[in-house]
Amino acid sequence: MSREGEAPDPPGPLPATPALCRHWARRGRCDYGDGCRFRHERVPGDDADADDPRSSAMDGRREGAARFGRRHHARNRNKAGDFRRWLVATFGFETLASGAGVLDVAGGKGELAFELRNLSGIPVTVVDPRPMRLERYVRRFRSGMYHRNQSPAATKLRRRLDSTLA
């Protein structure tokens, strides 16, 4: 601070521009809001983008939230159905249905065994110390959840299997 009659103080070093907030860069928002000590806007020529090898791969995407988004994860929904279809496509119906059928070790709740038996007509033996809980799958089966396709083959199979479950 300068006193009256004295020369003004030389300007000090300019404050450094804070780095880009990583939360804002990843999600497009920051939980710290105005209290965050990092920058929440992009400055032309930002060095953080130049060093990031992913920046060129992310061109054309929305800035912020999608820039560092999570990997695509496969959902667990219909996991047993996907696996059943893979088994039939890979090994074939005849191979799976021959002999005593499929041995499902550690079958858990029994969804795969239920689908193999009731949707594909393949005999299944489940080995698991816990009892199977099939009520949920039977309810889905009876409500038509497994048979959204109304093809003649699916309708015939549904009638046949519905009569065996009754």
Side-chain angles (χ1 to χ4, degrees):
M1 223 170 153
S2 64
R3 293 189 184 145
E4 237 178 281
E6 293 181 9
D9 292 336
L14 294 174
T17 306
L20 182 64
C21 174
R22 66 180 176 162
H23 303 291
W24 188 87
R26 286 183 185 155
R27 301 182 309 204
R29 67 180 178 85
C30 175
D31 292 337
Y32 293 105
D34 294 334
C36 183
R37 64 182 184 170
F38 297 101
R39 194 174 74 245
H40 288 160
E41 72 276 345
R42 297 210 181 275
V43 173
D46 192 3
D47 292 339
D49 288 341
D51 294 333
D52 188 1
R54 296 176 291 189
S55 62
S56 61
M58 302 298 277
D59 287 357
R61 282 196 174 180
R62 193 179 80 208
E63 289 291 317
R67 179 159 165 47
F68 296 105
R70 293 183 178 178
R71 295 180 315 163
H72 171 71
H73 289 281
R75 304 273 187 232
N76 281 339
R77 185 174 50 200
N78 201 23
K79 184 170 49 174
D82 292 340
F83 186 56
R84 173 184 56 85
R85 284 187 290 280
W86 178 84
L87 281 172
V88 173
T90 304
F91 298 104
F93 177 81
E94 293 78 20
T95 304
L96 293 173
S98 66
V102 175
L103 176 64
D104 187 1
V105 178
K109 294 177 186 174
E111 184 174 11
L112 176 63
F114 181 85
E115 287 193 16
L116 280 170
R117 177 66 189 114
N118 294 303
L119 300 180
S120 299
I122 298 171
V124 182
T125 303
V126 178
V127 178
D128 198 297
R130 298 171 294 169
M132 291 191 296
R133 297 184 208 157
L134 300 177
E135 300 83 26
R136 179 178 174 186
Y137 312 120
V138 170
R139 261 195 328 268
R140 281 185 187 170
F141 182 78
R142 288 187 174 153
S143 72
M145 189 70 144
Y146 291 111
H147 303 288
R148 298 283 180 193
N149 179 4
Q150 295 301 318
S151 68
T155 306
K156 182 179 176 184
L157 178 65
R158 181 177 179 192
R159 287 184 188 142
R160 181 176 58 101
L161 295 174
D162 211 11
S163 66
T164 60
L165 286 175

